[in-house]
Amino acid sequence: MRKLILLVTFIIFTTSIFAQFGAPPRLVSPEIDGNNVTIRFRAPKAIKVELNGDFLPAKEVGTPMGNMLLPAPVEMKEGEDGVWEYTAKYVMPDFYTYTISVDGIKMLDPNNLKVIRDGQNTTNMFIVPGEKSNAFLEASDHKGTLSKVWYPSKAFGVERRMSVYTPYGYGETNKKYPVFYLQHGGGGDEDAWPTLGRACQILDNLIAQGKAEPMIVVMPNADPNSLAAPDIMDPLPGPSIFSLGMESDELHSGGAYTKDLVEDIIPYIESHYQVIKKKESRAIAGLSMGGIYTLYTTARNPELFNYIGVLSMGFTPGRDAKAELKPVKDAGYKLYWVGCGESDMAWANAERLLKGLDEMDMEHTYFGEVGGHNWDTWRVCLKEIAPLLFK
């Protein structure tokens, strides 16, 4: 009783202090009203406040890769009490990110606690509900479990970290599950697919709806220059693998990573989880850099995976498509899935992959109803390929 009285007294005291000194109320930001989204930011002494977000109108912007249509910053308008505001109208249902720039200094929206990280960059996020984005929301029930797992890596000679999703009901019985090895792209890490890719939410919803088989999803740190996400451990010393050039054998082999995947990660999963240890129950996919690793790994270990997915990637000009695909064809497979839109900067590579599959008379599924080289594309790809696995 005494503790309760003290707590009530503290609340009354602090409330009176805030009222006395006029502490401003917390802003509602973002405010989602149907398809209109309003962002608010309190900065009474600011001269210029801009909003940067992937839900804003696109403009043609010059980049090192040529002119591209990219969302352009917009100026927010100052209202009462130094509150700056901008309303974006007709925002389609989807997953979005944004930051705010105050007099040239980039910062997060302090009124939105939903913050995600993409490599070294952090942004706020929100979801506009709708037919497309409902799969990105938390499932109403029957949610799976996401674990951050440290495992011994002989390839690196040290422990590394990966993310592992187990479906609802895992471990309650002796049931064994198939495994989907899902790789991120350049600049990503083991947190990329669970956060930016909404992998757990997508799988939870698809499984709950009976559209996908219950499966374990392993999301390794596919960056050979790091052992874990940068907020956990600093990158390894030395140059990035990207500095070697797109045609480098070391880039395509992933350095020590693909060796780690085959000799360390898969054996660890199959000795620590209730899994079906057969080719028919293994799938692998990757986006961009992870797509390169998928091509390399399946060509050299065609006996491991029955389901193969390449997202926003294909063969770079110096690779021999037929030589890389022949081992996969000879070993046999159940699904070869390619997801890439024509506006994707990796489209030329994907074209070479598709041409190679046609010339090798290899059955495959192509999905091109996506946009550019971004997470909007890869979330949709995951939603499309997952229901096709382990059928």
Side-chain angles (χ1 to χ4, degrees), residues 180-184 283-287 290-291 294 307-311 385:
F180 182 20
Y181 294 87
L182 184 59
Q183 302 164 111
H184 60 77
I284 185 171
L287 67 90
T294 297
Y307 300 83
I308 301 167
V310 180
L311 286 54
I385 190 175

Side-chain angles (χ1 to χ4, degrees), residues 165 167 175 178 180 202-215 217 382-391:
Y165 164 87
K175 178 180 177 179
F180 182 20
I202 291 172
L203 267 296
D204 279 345
N205 282 296
L206 290 174
I207 293 170
Q209 296 163 14
K211 295 180 180 179
E213 294 294 318
M215 67 184 78
V217 183
L382 177 58
K383 192 169 73 168
E384 292 295 321
I385 190 175
L388 304 178
L389 303 178
F390 313 119
K391 298 292 188 180

